[in-house]
Amino acid sequence: MDRNSFYGPVDPARDAGWVDPPARKGFFTDTSICIGCKACEVACKEWNAVPEDGMSLTGMSYDNSVGLGASTWRHVAFIEQPASSGNQESGVRHDESHANLDVLALAGGQGDPSPPPASVDLGMPLPTLPGAGGEDSSVPFRWLMESDVCKHCTHAACLDVCPTGALFRTEFGTVVVQDDICNGCGYCVPACPYGVIERREGPKNDHAVGVAQKCTLCYDRLGEGMEPACAKACPTQSIQFGDLDELRQRADVRVAELVEAGVVDAQLYGHDPADGIGGAGAFFLLLDKPEVYGLPPDPVVTTRALPAMWGRAAMAAGTMLAGAAMAFLGSRR
């Protein structure tokens, strides 16, 4: 099961040779309700025995894993922006009507608090509450959070270039690496347009070290009728798992709701079967441009030009053979 078309809308499982496969499975990640809890990262590591990949903060907000890799099959990105989300009133505002309110007195049950004593000027700089300077001093702010994962492309270049068959297409339409077959050649690493696959580094006595690693969409759990660990652990249902066609319909409704609510930049990413990878098995609802999240804006399967290259190579070889034959025949006259 290793065939894979290079372009065009197809059912990847049937294209790979599966007879009467189940409905294609996938992820719809709605970043508008992601709270950045990282439960998905932890659940992925726990279930798949993925080793830790750094516990220190990197300076990229609350991001401590930076991106997807051999030991990061799920990555929660944190992006801080000086912007509000739709009609949301972000930033901290100072309410002058509560300027003289004694909250301690209120907490003690004194319903009519007396004004606080006048302050004494000691020549020290006075602290200012955020937003105390009025409307103009309120700074819009929002966090964009996104749980990224392997896209399980319809046209998967990683699968095309694998010389051993370690990468294969499952009956669910996903792409899985078999540790015991991978020879660690690394051809799949630059082939991925998203930079997802990586060879794991670490002690040589670990069978997973030196071979390609990435999300399997919990292939073992799917085989038992269970959902992937990350989707199971997500407390807000930001990561939704199910039949891909149903997820696409659900996503269309959700993005329309957000746009109507004023979130005009809400958009789907990777859901279109006519895009450069034939549509992703894991697609996203984003609140800004893909590149803001570190995603390529218009990814194309890197092996798309292979048929044309093979055609030109065959033509060149035929021309050389024809020239050699003519030269040979000419020399005999």
Side-chain angles (χ1 to χ4, degrees), residues 26-48:
F27 286 129
F28 163 43
T29 301
D30 183 352
T31 67
S32 69
I33 53 175
C34 177
I35 59 175
C37 66
K38 304 187 183 184
C40 53
E41 286 189 3
V42 176
C44 176
K45 288 183 177 295
E46 286 283 345
W47 183 262
N48 295 293

Side-chain angles (χ1 to χ4, degrees), residues 231-288:
K232 185 71 175 178
C234 181
T236 65
Q237 295 188 330
S238 170
I239 301 172
Q240 300 175 35
F241 165 78
D243 293 351
L244 195 58
D245 289 340
E246 181 184 347
L247 291 176
R248 285 170 173 164
Q249 294 175 9
R250 196 183 304 171
D252 287 336
V253 173
R254 174 63 178 161
V255 75
E257 289 175 349
L258 287 173
V259 171
E260 185 178 358
V263 189
V264 295
D265 292 328
Q267 57 191 280
L268 297 178
Y269 178 80
H271 72 299
D272 186 0
D275 66 15
I277 60 165
F283 65 100
F284 303 82
L285 189 158
L286 306 178
L287 299 180
D288 208 327

Side-chain angles (χ1 to χ4, degrees), residues 1-324:
M1 305 291 177
D2 57 358
R3 289 180 292 170
N4 188 58
S5 295
F6 296 111
Y7 52 83
V10 297
D11 180 339
R14 292 185 185 279
D15 188 53
W18 291 96
V19 178
D20 196 22
R24 186 180 180 186
K25 305 298 184 186
F27 286 129
F28 163 43
T29 301
D30 183 352
T31 67
S32 69
I33 53 175
C34 177
I35 59 175
C37 66
K38 304 187 183 184
C40 53
E41 286 189 3
V42 176
C44 176
K45 288 183 177 295
E46 286 283 345
W47 183 262
N48 295 293
V50 177
E52 65 90 11
D53 51 349
M55 300 298 291
S56 59
L57 294 177
T58 60
M60 298 170 60
S61 192
Y62 288 95
D63 192 335
N64 63 337
S65 50
V66 181
L68 296 173
S71 298
T72 310
W73 295 3
R74 268 280 178 190
H75 166 241
V76 178
F78 287 74
I79 299 106
E80 298 183 7
Q81 286 187 326
S84 58
S85 180
N87 293 326
Q88 168 190 328
E89 292 186 0
S90 58
V92 181
R93 297 178 185 280
H94 180 70
D95 190 345
E96 292 294 341
S97 64
H98 296 159
N100 296 321
L101 193 64
D102 188 340
V103 293
L104 295 179
L106 285 176
Q110 302 177 26
D112 184 18
S114 57
S119 61
V120 178
D121 186 3
L122 300 177
M124 302 293 288
L126 295 176
T128 304
L129 292 174
E135 293 287 332
D136 294 339
S137 67
S138 179
V139 179
F141 174 83
R142 70 173 178 176
W143 253 312
L144 298 178
M145 289 165 281
E146 177 235 1
S147 180
D148 197 9
V149 71
C150 170
K151 313 305 178 292
H152 295 274
C153 307
T154 299
H155 305 300
C158 59
L159 192 155
D160 294 332
V161 301
C162 180
T164 65
L167 280 150
F168 77 105
R169 182 77 67 180
T170 74
E171 66 270 37
F172 302 106
T174 58
V175 179
V176 172
V177 184
Q178 301 171 92
D179 290 348
D180 56 340
I181 298 179
C182 179
N183 64 2
C185 68
Y187 292 169
C188 55
V189 176
C192 176
Y194 299 98
V196 168
I197 307 182
E198 192 177 51
R199 286 179 293 186
R200 183 173 295 165
E201 299 178 353
K204 294 183 178 179
N205 58 352
D206 185 340
H207 74 281
V209 168
V211 299
Q213 298 286 315
K214 74 172 196 69
C215 162
T216 67
L217 215 135
C218 285
Y219 185 43
D220 51 347
R221 292 176 64 91
L222 265 57
E224 298 297 326
M226 297 188 293
E227 62 182 316
C230 56
K232 185 71 175 178
C234 181
T236 65
Q237 295 188 330
S238 170
I239 301 172
Q240 300 175 35
F241 165 78
D243 293 351
L244 195 58
D245 289 340
E246 181 184 347
L247 291 176
R248 285 170 173 164
Q249 294 175 9
R250 196 183 304 171
D252 287 336
V253 173
R254 174 63 178 161
V255 75
E257 289 175 349
L258 287 173
V259 171
E260 185 178 358
V263 189
V264 295
D265 292 328
Q267 57 191 280
L268 297 178
Y269 178 80
H271 72 299
D272 186 0
D275 66 15
I277 60 165
F283 65 100
F284 303 82
L285 189 158
L286 306 178
L287 299 180
D288 208 327
K289 297 177 181 177
E291 48 268 45
V292 171
Y293 296 84
L295 297 168
D298 189 19
V300 175
V301 58
T302 53
T303 51
R304 187 167 187 161
L306 277 181
M309 293 170 61
W310 290 335
R312 293 190 182 96
M315 186 180 299
T319 302
M320 290 179 64
L321 287 174

